[in-house]
Structure formats: structure tokens, C-alpha cells
């Protein structure tokens, strides 16, 4: 079963309906139920897709009409969680099947149990059905900070040896990590933010990886390739002369176990826990992490996860442009900041930044593209990097406002 063919399955449409989240999930239509029953009987549904579908369905709550799916499973299976876990994840280790049952029962996991689950998720053991089920359940009901922290510890252990090397002493390191699924309505400015902080006596590193979807627009990895920026191959290269647009770490170079999940994520469609956690991996022992949270509930959670991950300073941009940490121009931005104190505790502050007030401008309408061009995005980045301005004023304003707002946050952390 290829990725393309799995995306055309009725069960994939089922995931789109039942796997949205606590508030947005919808019941399956009778027609879709029958189509899914046929596919399950035919055995054409990949294990990870099957796991993601049933994990989301149970978490949403099964309607009487949806019990018709038991025509392909057996009577009562949708309410007998051990049987359902065995149906979806028969090839997974017994302890993982037991964890699937606990998650189907809406239990949350403590940090140590989540760490054990993470060890499986990023292993080469069989059990992609269980992987899909776990990712889907946690997404629909929302992951807890303890679950995030445990799984993040597992991810850190998958980092390849070149990125486990001791980081050379030198200027403080700022690590920037925005959503890997990229943008579909605006241009990325990330390399210019890295350039800005390099000039402020920081070493700047950006995390980039293959786009796992569901957005189809270009992401930071695409842009970095297009502008010819520098990829970091090992930590010891951080002693070299700073590249103009900063260093970038390819996810596939840093962790093959994480990169394998790109293929799984493309099949299960909805963003799982990795869409958040992949941005918190810390191969270069950064002093400050800058990331973004478009949806309000995730801001505080992301700050907590970053603190538990050991970052001395954390900046989370809320209310920015979706898919990036760039600031909008027509509305204010909330910037969550956290700084570790001498005793190990953290102090937090929320800054508000109004781009129109800072720039002393009035923007008639926020830019919004249907299909932003990678070629044009690269041209704008290269032109701004060279001359400090482009022929597109909104782009220039966005770069200036974003860098100014983030600099305020960095200064607060460094106080």
C-alpha cells in the first residue's frame, strides 16, 4: 500500500471526521461507515491508518450508527478494548497493547510510563497499528505535559552521535523551531530572524525537516535548500565562523527514528504529538528556544514542556501567523517568556507586541496567499539578507516587527 493510495481510502476520510479534536470531531455518515466496513473486510487498510482511525473514534465516542463497523470486527469489539487493541495492534509487544487499552479507557500516563511508551514509538519493533492508535488518541484528547515530557526524553535518546558531541564554547545559542508542515498563506522569514540574532552576538540554529503534512505548502527545509543556507553536520562545527543566515539541522541527519515518523504521519493525516515535540529536541544545548503556538491552549503547555526539557530560556509566540513564528501586522502578538533562575525555578512573563504601533504604520489588510511561491520566498529572503530591504514592503515590515518583538523577549530572559 503506497502513501498515495492510502490517502484515497474511505477510512482516511473517517480520520478526517473523527480525529479533529475534543470539540471538532464529527460522527461518520452511514455511507462512509459502509465504505470503511468494506475496506476493513478487504484488508486494504494499512496498520497505522487502522490504529489512528479506531483510536480517534473511541476517543470521540462511538454513536449507535457507528457500531455498524463491528460487521468487520466482530460483535462487541468497539466496547471491548482488549479485543480492539488486539485487532489493531496484534504485532505489538504485550506491554504496549496494555498501554493501548489504558489509553482507550481515557487514562493519562505519568512521565515514566510515557517514557516507556516513547521508547517503543521510536523503536524498530513491529506495531505500527499501536503507533497510529497512540498518536491519534493523544491528539484527540490532548496530550498532558507529563506525557509530552516522557516521550520527549525518548526522542532525545534517538539523536545520532554527531549531535551528541560536546558543544564548543562560545556565544550563547538561540534555537528556532517552527512548525515543520510549513505555510500555505504567507512567506517564511525564519532565516532572516536567525541572521538578526547572529548579528546580536548569538549563534543561531534552526531545526528543519521533511513536511509530514497535512499542509502542502513549503516549509523551512524547502526554503533553506532554496536560499543555499548552511546545514550543521555535527555539534563541533559550532566553533566555525557563523554562516550569514545561521546554521540548520536536518531532522533526518539528527534522528533517523524521528524522520521515519514522517511517513507514518502522512498516512494518519492529523498532526500527532510529534508536531509539537519535534520542535523541543535540543541537540546543541541551546540557551534559548524560540517556537510558536498558533492555538491558544498550547502556549502554556509548550512553555511547561520546554522548561522540563531543560532550556534555560523559552520564548513561545502566540497569535502569530499560522505555520511560522512570523508576526502578523494587523493584530497584536502575545509572547510567552520563561527564564530559569539560580535556584532552578522559572519565572514567566507574557509580553504584548503591536506591530502597527511599533512601526508607526497602518496596514489595510493582512497578506494572505493561496499558494505562496517558494521561489519568490527565497528571492525575498536573499534580497533582504543582502540589502536590508526588498521591493515588497509588507515583507520588510514583518521582518522588522518580528525581530524587534523577539529581541524584547530575549532581553527580558537575559536580565
Amino acid at each position: 500500500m503506497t502513501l498515495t493510495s492510502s490517502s484515497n481510502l474511505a477510512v482516511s476520510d473517517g480520520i478526517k471526521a473523527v480525529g479533529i479534536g475534543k470539540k471538532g470531531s464529527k460522527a461518520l455518515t452511514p455511507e462512509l461507515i459502509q465504505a470503511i466496513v468494506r475496506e476493513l473486510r478487504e484488508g486494504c487498510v494499512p496498520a497505522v491508518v487502522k490504529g489512528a482511525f479506531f483510536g480517534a473514534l473511541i476517543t470521540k465516542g462511538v454513536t449507535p450508527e457507528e457500531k455498524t463497523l463491528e460487521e468487520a470486527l466482530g460483535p462487541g469489539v468497539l466496547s471491548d478494548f482488549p479485543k480492539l487493541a488486539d485487532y489493531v495492534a496484534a504485532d505489538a509487544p504485550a506491554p504496549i497493547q496494555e498501554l493501548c487499552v489504558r489509553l482507550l479507557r481515557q487514562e493519562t500516563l505519568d512521565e515514566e510510563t510515557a517514557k516507556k511508551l516513547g521508547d517503543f514509538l521510536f523503536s524498530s519493533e513491529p506495531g505500527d497499528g499501536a503507533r497510529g492508535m497512540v498518536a491519534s488518541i493523544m491528539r484527540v484528547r490532548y496530550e498532558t505535559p507529563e506525557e509530552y515530557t516522557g516521550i520527549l526524553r525518548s526522542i532525545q535518546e534517538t539523536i545520532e552521535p554527531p549531535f551528541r558531541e560536546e558543544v564548543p564554547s562560545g556565544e550563547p545559542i538561540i534555537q528556532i523551531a517552527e512548525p515543520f508542515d510549513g505555510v500555505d498563506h504567507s512567506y517564511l522569514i525564519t532565516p532572516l530572524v536567525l541572521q538578526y540574532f547572529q548579528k546580536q552576538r548569538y549563534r543561531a540554529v534552526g531545526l528543519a525537516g521533511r513536511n509530514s503534512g497535512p499542509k502542502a505548502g513549503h516549509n523551512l527545509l524547502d526554503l533553506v535548500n532554496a536560499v543555499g543556507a548552511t546545514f550543521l553536520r555535527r555539534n563541533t562545527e559550532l566553533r566555525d565562523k557563523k554562516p550569514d543566515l545561521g546554521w540548520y539541522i536536518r531532522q533526518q541527519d539528527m534522528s533517523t527514528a524521528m524522520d521515519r515518523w514522517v511517513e507514518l504521519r502522512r498516512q494518519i493525516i492529523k498532526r500527532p504529538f510529534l508536531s509539537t515535540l519535534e520542535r523541543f529536541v535540543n541537540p546543541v544545548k541551546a540557551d534559548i528556544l524560540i517556537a510558536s503556538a498558533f492555538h491558544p491552549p498550547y502556549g502554556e503547555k509548550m512553555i511547561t514542556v520546554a522548561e522540563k526539557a531543560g532550556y534555560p530560556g523559552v520564548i513561545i509566540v502566540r497569535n502569530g501567523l499560522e505555520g511560522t513564528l512570523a508576526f502578523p501586522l494587523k493584530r497584536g502578538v502575545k509572547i510567552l517568556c520563561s527564564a530559569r533562575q539560580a535556584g532552578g525555578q522559572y519565572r514567566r512573563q507574557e509580553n504584548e507586541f503591536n506591530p502597527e504601533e511599533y512601526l508607526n504604520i497602518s496596514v489595510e489588510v493582512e497578506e494572505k496567499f493561496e499558494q505562496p511561491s517558494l521561489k519568490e520566498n527565497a528571492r525575498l529572503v536573499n534580497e533582504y539578507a543582502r540589502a536590508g530591504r526588498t521591493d515588497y514592503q509588507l515583507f520588510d515590515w514583518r521582518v522588522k516587527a518580528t525581530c524587534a518583538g523577539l529581541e524584547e523577549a530575549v532581553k527580558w530572559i537575559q536580565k
Side-chain angles (χ1 to χ4, degrees), residues 8-72:
N8 293 327
L9 290 171
V11 71
S12 296
D13 291 332
I15 293 174
K16 293 175 184 177
V18 302
I20 296 173
K22 287 183 178 180
K23 298 180 180 179
S25 294
K26 305 177 183 67
L28 302 173
T29 65
E31 296 78 15
L32 187 53
I33 291 170
Q34 288 302 320
I36 293 172
V37 167
R38 287 193 296 272
E39 291 175 351
L40 293 172
R41 283 174 168 168
E42 293 168 1
C44 63
V45 181
V48 69
V49 177
K50 190 187 301 181
F53 171 71
F54 283 109
L57 178 70
I58 297 298
T59 307
K60 173 189 74 67
V62 182
T63 66
E65 293 79 12
E66 289 166 345
K67 283 189 174 291
T68 304
L69 292 165
E70 291 182 344
E71 293 177 5

Side-chain angles (χ1 to χ4, degrees), residues 39 318 361:
E39 291 175 351
R318 268 188 46 202
I361 59 170

Side-chain angles (χ1 to χ4, degrees), residues 325-369:
L325 52 80
F327 291 8
L329 297 175
K330 285 289 294 177
R331 66 175 186 270
V333 178
K334 296 183 184 298
I335 308 172
L336 306 180
C337 307
S338 178
R340 191 169 63 200
Q341 306 302 288
Q345 72 277 17
Y346 285 83
R347 64 186 175 101
R348 295 181 179 182
Q349 176 170 297
E350 181 178 280
N351 296 342
E352 293 195 15
F353 187 89
N354 188 307
E356 285 189 318
E357 288 183 4
Y358 171 77
L359 296 168
N360 193 26
I361 59 170
S362 177
V363 179
E364 185 174 340
V365 64
E366 193 73 66
E367 74 173 6
K368 188 172 183 180
F369 303 111

Side-chain angles (χ1 to χ4, degrees), residues 236-300:
T236 52
E237 292 179 345
L238 286 167
R239 69 164 59 95
D240 297 344
K241 180 181 177 182
K242 294 188 294 187
D244 185 44
L245 295 175
W247 285 280
Y248 299 85
I249 298 177
R250 275 184 291 242
Q251 187 179 82
Q252 57 263 51
D253 296 336
M254 179 183 68
S255 169
T256 55
M258 290 179 69
D259 184 63
R260 175 183 177 264
W261 264 86
V262 173
E263 309 303 331
L264 299 179
R265 292 160 72 183
R266 287 174 177 171
Q267 295 182 83
I268 64 179
I269 301 168
K270 293 296 180 179
R271 301 180 185 91
F273 58 89
L274 255 178
S275 62
T276 295
L277 287 185
E278 64 191 351
R279 293 180 279 163
F280 289 88
V281 180
N282 190 8
V284 296
K285 304 299 183 289
D287 298 276
I288 298 174
L289 171 71
I290 302 177
S292 63
F294 184 75
H295 299 290
Y298 277 89
E300 293 290 337

